[in-house]
Amino acid sequence: MAPPLSRRHLLQTAVLTAVTHGATTGVATAAHGRSPAAPVPAPDAWGVRPFALGDVALGPGVFADKRRLMLDHARGYDVNRLLQVFRANAGLSTLGAVAPGGWEGLDGEANGNLRGHYTGHFLTMLSQAYAGTGEQVFADKIRTMVGALAEVREALRREPAVLSTDGRFGGAVENVRGSYQYVDLPAGVLGGAAEITLAAWVRPAHDGAWARVCDFGDDTTRYLYLAARDAAGVPRFAITTEGPGGEQALSGTAALPSGRWSHLAVTLAGGTGTLYVDGVAVARNTAMSLTPAALGPLAHHWLGRSHFAADPVFAGAFGGFDMWSRALTADEIARLQSGPGRGDLVSYAFDETSGGTFADGSGRGLTATLRRTWGGPSHPGFLAAYPETQFIQLESMTGSDYTKVWAPYYTAHKILRGLLDAHLTTGDDRALDLASGLCDWMHSRLSRLPAATLQRMWGIFSSGEFGGIVEAICDLHALTGKAEHLALARLFDLDRLIDACAAGTDVLDGLHANQHIPIFTGYVRLYDETGEERYLTAAKNFWGMVVPHRMYGIGGTSSGEFWKARDVIAGTMSATTAETCCAYNMLKLSRTLFFHDQDPAYMDYYERALYNQVLGSKQDRPDAEKPLVTYFIGLTPGHVRDYTPKQGTTCCEGTGMESATKYQDSVYFAQADGSALYVNLYSPTTLTWAEKGVTVTQTTDFPREQGTTLTIGGGSASFALRLRVPSWATAGFRVTVNGRPVPGTPRPGGYFTVSRTWRRGDIVRVGIPFRLRVEKTPDDPSLQTLFLGPVNLVARDPATHHLELGLYRNAGLSGDLLPSLTPVPGEPLHYTLGGIALAPFFEGTEDPTHAYFRRAEPRVVFGGTDSGVANPARPDGTTLLDDIWAGAPFADKGALVARVRSAVDAWRSAGLLGRADGDRVVETARRASYAP
């Protein structure tokens, strides 16, 4: 007998199988070498519950093909590259790893102020990959990352420690770029000297301008410094009592080589200053009247840090630093190249291998201390790839400036989500401890702030963006039960938005789309935790403001990341429409809302966005370095998708990695009481429904196949099978069980229920004939997009103007426009029309595409027979052919001809069509032949 499950295990399993986030999809099946998750009731408010990713195996097809590319990327990618920025921030060795670049590094956009976000995405992707496949390589990578992040947090909790490296004459200390560490020297190191020599061995690791070797001063007025590089890229020494405008300076003639040891020395005496590089004098200034004595006592004496806040901290290694109270001769400087010197004012060899202090060899006992520019975390749970100053600055910001603060709580969300998913998938308690500590730290910061400050923060674009953090915190609360965690989730309430949406007031115009979509998924989870109706009502109303009013045909939303006015679609198309993150988050919100309200519209949208934008956002080729996922999908004519935007580490590539490893997360849901199984999507999958002791295997090549076959395996069980009838399924929806038709009238945009006691070997066949249809933009009905069943068809053509297409020419009696297209042999879902190639949007190619076209029906044509009559139009753009075909489907040819006569009479009466032309139109309709 199995041991009883603990409360902790039950909570863990509940989140695995029930939370709205696709990644926390539980424990894989026994086929993966692990026990399946025990069934746990979903929240009381949920009418249905999802299955764990490991309970739904993905079969061959378009989804498996896309996932395979992402899994290959995940298997081969060195996660130490992602950990580089975390280790650097903690002053730890980065193991020689190079950060990916782009948004995940120090040199990317806005100085890398979003770094760490991609690491969280990657953890979630790995967790989903492990849950879905059970491959050990993914678990190993997760454990490596979690272990490293635990070390990082521990290092951040304590004072900085020496990172030793090989020096010029022994040991040296490394200052990792991104560590914000410097050496703090005691007061009095200059000793009021009237003459001085500074000498340092340095090995720069970065070419940032104005990084200091040393900077002694009070502020930005009274100081002396030695910089490894100035604005011209050469070493510079300066001394002043009047700020930059009064500097007396020495500048070198060549840049110091990166990654190699160089010796810098400066002598200052008798009004003359000399700068030496590697023992050779490279600059001399005989008008340097200032001396350290003239500066007087100074507040700070720093190695590696500047008094100018915008200057970078020195990145590289110090192999020695000495100061003498006299000017060494040129010969003495030259001799320093062959062995360490010992200054009489101060002398640091930097050969320590532990601790956080450096011994002074001058005899004066001036021990130096390693410090961080930002001090250290305000709470031991802090974990980030940059200093806490990003969070602190946000609290006083009143306007947007992402170059200073770029969405730190958004980044915290990605890290938190990744850690939660890692814990839930592998059972690693270190990940849970890190996640819990991170929320403890956030609560300690945010709970002290006035409500008005929080409302201001969360309203700032994009610095105040916090992504799906509320959802993640609620999921953590389900594990920890800590009151502080639920309280923390509520501190992210953006009241003006919640209240407006709860009241049904559309305030989305001008808002940043992806800043706001994921917060509503979190608010639904807060409804689950608190029972406050305004959260759920606001989320439902918000969804209805986006779908369909701000939705493009492919399911995407946003233009240049922002929303425009309601029902303006044609007027918002650009090269930066449909941000991929928006589709990802709209899927999550739709899924979460469906748990509460089984409205088929949510799953209709889910299918649209998944089978089109989400699938189409992944390029169909392998790549070891990049996930190859779009940021924007431009809907302008001839747009070519960019699968490596901004060096490949954007938010959309992060969510794209997640999407490609959880395609199966919403194929099936179970009624909360186990009485029904919802089949939401038609996808080749095998569901293991442990609660019922059955399996359900879908065999299909949907959407290349117009239907699916479901086979019941395992034992027998009674439940209702609820098959989604897509809203586009107007050509019929036929269901047989073991070859016998199931009576009933399926309604497009609903669910068709088959209730029985199912037995092993039962076969359910679902036929869903596709029709070709158009969807018109509300603000320009002549601009249209083309669908065959669930699949958006795009024209592949290099033209940069809207193509003009006519589709009524061979329309069938059913109203199906497909007979006007010519199939491409051997290529399902590929057609031609007038020499123009049409293909599924979901194919991830780099062909120039047209998702929208201009509808042009210049003449009245029926069944390929041209009447020779111009197709008249009303002032609103509606044409005679539009009016006629609006009556489809037609029972037979006679019904179509009757419709033609009626329409012709109406248009003739309105003075829009002459009698002779009208007669020709009717006669042509009577003579033509039609497809069904």
Side-chain angles (χ1 to χ4, degrees):
M1 177 181 292
L5 296 174
S6 67
R7 178 179 181 274
R8 178 191 176 110
H9 181 78
L10 289 171
L11 282 170
Q12 177 177 337
T13 306
V15 178
L16 284 170
T17 58
V19 295
T20 60
H21 183 69
T24 50
T25 50
V27 186
T29 64
H32 295 161
R34 289 165 287 160
S35 299
V40 177
D44 292 340
W46 288 12
V48 298
R49 61 175 176 82
F51 290 92
L53 278 185
D55 292 336
V56 185
L58 201 58
V62 61
F63 289 109
D65 291 343
K66 297 269 189 179
R67 185 180 72 166
R68 175 180 50 79
L69 293 169
M70 194 62 76
L71 293 179
D72 285 346
H73 171 71
R75 290 184 190 101
Y77 199 83
D78 180 7
V79 295
N80 285 305
R81 297 185 62 189
L82 301 172
L83 296 165
Q84 194 266 356
V85 289
F86 285 90
R87 286 171 166 147
N89 188 49
L92 299 174
S93 171
T94 59
L95 307 181
V98 178
W103 287 5
E104 196 60 38
L106 288 161
D107 294 315
E109 195 169 346
N111 303 311
N113 282 347
L114 209 67
R115 61 189 182 274
H117 82 113
Y118 200 73
T119 305
H121 283 299
F122 210 89
L123 264 174
T124 290
M125 183 263 286
L126 289 173
S127 299
Q128 293 175 168
Y130 185 44
T133 70
E135 292 184 30
Q136 189 63 34
V137 63
F138 301 125
D140 292 342
K141 287 177 180 286
I142 291 168
R143 291 190 184 98
T144 295
M145 295 179 75
V146 170
L149 292 175
E151 291 173 3
V152 164
R153 187 181 68 173
E154 184 59 33
L156 288 170
R157 286 175 166 181
R158 61 177 186 256
E159 293 298 321
V162 168
L163 181 60
S164 62
T165 185
D166 293 333
R168 183 68 173 79
F169 301 110
V173 61
E174 187 172 1
N175 197 30
V176 178
R177 183 166 180 250
S179 67
Y180 297 89
Q181 292 182 171
Y182 68 101
V183 181
D184 189 18
L185 277 57
V189 293
L190 290 173
E195 297 183 0
I196 197 168
T197 298
L198 305 175
W201 280 103
V202 293
R203 186 177 64 196
H206 188 254
D207 59 1
W210 299 115
R212 302 295 202 256
V213 174
C214 65
D215 194 332
F216 303 158
D218 286 337
D219 45 33
T220 57
T221 301
R222 181 182 296 270
Y223 55 79
L224 68 80
Y225 69 76
L226 174 60
R229 293 173 65 92
D230 64 6
V234 297
R236 177 182 173 88
F237 172 82
I239 185 169
T240 181
T241 57
E242 300 174 350
E247 286 185 357
Q248 298 176 7
L250 297 159
S251 293
T253 56
L256 300 183
S258 182
R260 283 172 43 196
W261 287 105
S262 296
H263 187 261
L264 293 175
V266 174
T267 60
L268 188 60
T272 297
T274 306
L275 172 65
Y276 296 84
V277 177
D278 294 332
V280 178
V282 297
R284 181 169 283 108
N285 184 346
T286 58
M288 298 188 72
S289 58
L290 293 175
T291 66
L295 297 179
L298 298 173
H300 307 123
H301 304 82
W302 296 332
L303 304 184
R305 180 180 180 182
S306 169
H307 280 88
F308 290 82
D311 291 344
V313 176
F314 176 79
F318 287 103
F321 182 82
D322 291 89
M323 293 195 303
W324 288 264
S325 57
R326 63 183 180 86
L328 299 186
T329 66
D331 287 343
E332 288 175 312
I333 297 291
R335 284 197 294 272
L336 293 176
Q337 310 310 298
S338 57
R342 177 162 294 188
D344 64 325
L345 289 177
V346 75
S347 180
Y348 301 108
F350 295 120
D351 54 6
E352 287 84 356
T353 58
S354 63
T357 60
F358 304 100
D360 172 25
S362 70
R364 299 177 68 202
L366 299 177
T367 302
T369 306
L370 190 63
R371 302 193 190 281
R372 298 187 188 98
T373 60
W374 55 284
S378 62
H379 184 281
F382 176 75
L383 177 64
Y386 42 63
E388 195 174 355
T389 49
Q390 281 278 294
F391 300 88
I392 296 169
Q393 285 179 265
L394 176 61
E395 294 168 8
S396 60
M397 287 182 72
T398 57
S400 176
D401 187 348
Y402 85 130
T403 65
K404 292 190 172 110
V405 176
W406 190 3
Y409 285 96
Y410 173 94
T411 306
H413 162 242
K414 299 307 174 189
I415 298 167
L416 173 62
R417 183 77 264 173
L419 289 167
L420 273 174
D421 295 339
H423 168 68
L424 293 166
T425 305
T426 68
D428 193 330
D429 286 337
R430 296 174 302 172
L432 180 61
D433 181 60
L434 288 167
S436 183
L438 187 57
C439 286
D440 292 343
W441 161 75
M442 282 190 278
H443 183 262
S444 75
R445 283 215 72 83
L446 297 177
S447 62
R448 298 196 306 261
L449 299 178
T453 300
L454 293 171
Q455 294 299 312
R456 172 175 49 77
M457 285 166 56
W458 308 144
I460 298 174
F461 163 77
S462 60
S463 302
E465 183 175 357
F466 54 80
I469 201 167
V470 176
E471 177 202 17
I473 296 169
C474 287
D475 293 349
L476 177 71
H477 177 252
L479 294 175
T480 66
K482 291 181 68 171
E484 294 87 350
H485 292 164
L486 182 58
L488 170 63
R490 303 189 71 157
L491 292 175
F492 289 92
D493 280 6
L494 184 53
D495 288 330
R496 60 179 173 77
L497 183 64
I498 297 172
D499 293 342
C501 290
T505 304
D506 190 330
V507 294
L508 303 191
D509 188 4
L511 291 184
H512 183 254
N514 198 52
Q515 182 166 348
H516 295 90
I517 299 169
I519 71 177
F520 281 98
T521 303
Y523 292 154
V524 178
R525 290 286 289 119
L526 261 180
Y527 165 76
D528 296 335
E529 298 289 327
T530 67
E532 290 191 25
E533 287 286 345
R534 73 173 189 134
Y535 291 126
L536 182 60
T537 302
K540 287 183 176 181
N541 290 345
F542 166 81
W543 190 92
M545 295 169 192
V546 178
V547 180
H549 302 289
R550 292 176 174 87
M551 180 193 76
Y552 301 105
I554 58 174
T557 186
S558 80
S559 180
E561 298 194 10
F562 288 82
W563 280 310
K564 310 301 183 192
R566 188 182 179 101
D567 294 321
V568 178
I569 299 299
T572 59
M573 289 184 195
S574 70
T576 57
T577 38
E579 183 186 359
T580 305
C581 272
C582 293
Y584 164 90
N585 279 309
M586 283 299 296
L587 288 184
K588 289 186 66 175
L589 178 59
S590 302
R591 182 177 191 263
T592 307
L593 288 172
F594 191 86
F595 296 154
H596 297 81
D597 177 5
Q598 288 72 63
D599 184 344
Y602 294 133
M603 282 298 124
D604 270 345
Y605 172 80
Y606 200 99
E607 178 188 69
R608 175 192 294 267
L610 179 65
Y611 277 87
N612 293 291
Q613 174 158 2
V614 171
L615 272 182
S617 67
K618 174 72 187 84
Q619 191 173 14
D620 295 332
R621 72 174 181 84
D623 192 286
E625 289 297 306
K626 302 288 190 293
L628 299 183
V629 177
T630 58
Y631 191 113
F632 297 114
I633 291 185
L635 298 176
T636 49
H639 178 78
V640 176
R641 292 176 210 169
D642 179 4
Y643 298 97
T644 53
K646 300 176 183 287
Q647 299 183 56
T649 53
T650 66
C651 52
C652 291
E653 281 142 312
T655 54
M657 291 191 300
E658 295 182 32
S659 291
T661 49
K662 66 179 182 74
Y663 289 133
Q664 73 270 41
D665 75 340
S666 297
V667 176
Y668 308 99
F669 295 150
Q671 195 81 25
D673 62 3
S675 64
L677 177 69
Y678 284 77
V679 181
N680 303 308
L681 301 171
Y682 300 107
S683 173
T685 49
T686 296
L687 166 67
T688 300
W689 193 1
E691 182 181 18
K692 292 290 185 180
V694 300
T695 61
V696 179
T697 299
Q698 272 200 73
T699 305
T700 181
D701 196 25
F702 192 93
R704 299 186 181 103
E705 178 184 349
Q706 299 183 21
T708 188
T709 300
L710 296 95
T711 303
I712 308 299
S716 62
S718 296
F719 58 89
L721 189 65
R722 292 184 177 158
L723 303 165
R724 189 175 66 87
V725 186
S727 58
W728 49 261
T730 57
F733 187 89
R734 297 182 293 274
V735 181
T736 63
V737 176
N738 299 330
R740 295 185 177 89
V742 178
T745 305
R747 179 180 59 83
Y751 279 83
F752 184 71
T753 301
V754 183
S755 296
R756 59 182 277 144
T757 297
W758 301 94
R759 292 178 173 82
R760 180 185 182 90
D762 282 347
I763 296 175
V764 180
R765 173 64 188 163
V766 183
I768 322 174
F770 293 178
R771 280 181 177 163
L772 187 70
R773 70 188 190 281
V774 297
E775 292 185 358
K776 303 174 182 179
T777 60
D779 49 328
D780 183 355
S782 72
L783 199 63
Q784 303 176 0
T785 189
L786 200 60
F787 277 86
L788 181 60
V791 178
N792 183 236
L793 294 181
V794 296
R796 289 180 176 169
D797 192 282
T800 55
H801 59 272
H802 284 298
L803 301 175
E804 294 188 349
L805 301 181
L807 294 165
Y808 287 137
R809 186 175 192 86
N810 285 299
L813 293 173
S814 64
D816 190 357
L817 301 171
L818 188 59
S820 294
L821 307 186
T822 302
V824 177
E827 295 190 56
L829 302 177
H830 284 249
Y831 301 87
T832 60
L833 175 62
I836 296 172
L838 299 171
F841 185 95
F842 65 68
E843 292 185 349
T845 72
E846 293 180 298
D847 296 296
T849 61
H850 295 245
Y852 283 84
F853 63 92
R854 188 71 65 187
R855 188 68 176 271
E857 305 281 356
R859 290 204 302 276
V860 178
V861 182
F862 294 107
T865 303
D866 193 335
S867 70
V869 176
N871 185 23
R874 296 191 182 106
D876 66 357
T878 303
T879 70
L880 173 62
L881 284 174
D882 292 333
D883 199 355
I884 292 169
W885 287 104
F890 301 105
D892 52 32
K893 179 178 176 177
L896 169 60
V897 173
R899 173 75 178 191
V900 172
R901 285 196 185 98
S902 173
V904 164
D905 289 344
W907 282 66
R908 197 159 49 195
S909 297
L912 298 173
L913 185 67
R915 177 177 294 276
D917 284 347
D919 291 344
R920 281 198 297 273
V921 168
V922 174
E923 177 60 20
T924 302
R926 189 187 64 77
R927 290 189 292 108
S929 297
Y930 303 91

